[in-house]
Amino acid sequence: MKIVVAIAFVLIIGSLASALFFLMRDKGRSNRTVQALAMRVGLSIALFLLVLFSYKMGWIQPKGLHS
């Protein structure tokens, strides 16, 4: 499960980086920046739902803070 979450974070950061690249390169002439940001939002929502589903299924457990 840790690997899946790590891969999802890498994809989210990659989508954010591609949005920045398209923003700098296209200078507002195309909608590729909007598409990349929409992809980032979709990936973030999917990751959140995956974590919730995993918790409900018992695949992950909360550990809390240890002092």
Side-chain angles (χ1 to χ4, degrees):
M1 195 63 186
K2 290 179 185 179
I3 294 172
V4 172
V5 171
I7 290 171
F9 273 128
V10 168
L11 290 174
I12 290 168
I13 297 299
S15 177
L16 189 60
S18 69
L20 177 63
F21 175 76
F22 291 140
L23 179 67
M24 299 304 285
R25 185 166 184 225
D26 293 344
K27 299 196 187 323
R29 292 188 303 259
S30 73
N31 63 348
R32 293 192 298 181
T33 302
V34 174
Q35 290 174 348
L37 290 174
M39 175 73 74
R40 184 188 66 86
V41 170
L43 288 171
S44 298
I45 291 170
L47 177 60
F48 180 73
L49 292 175
L50 176 68
V51 169
L52 283 178
F53 180 73
S54 299
Y55 175 72
K56 292 288 184 185
M57 295 297 292
W59 298 340
I60 58 174
Q61 297 295 323
K63 299 202 183 213
L65 297 174
H66 299 286
S67 50

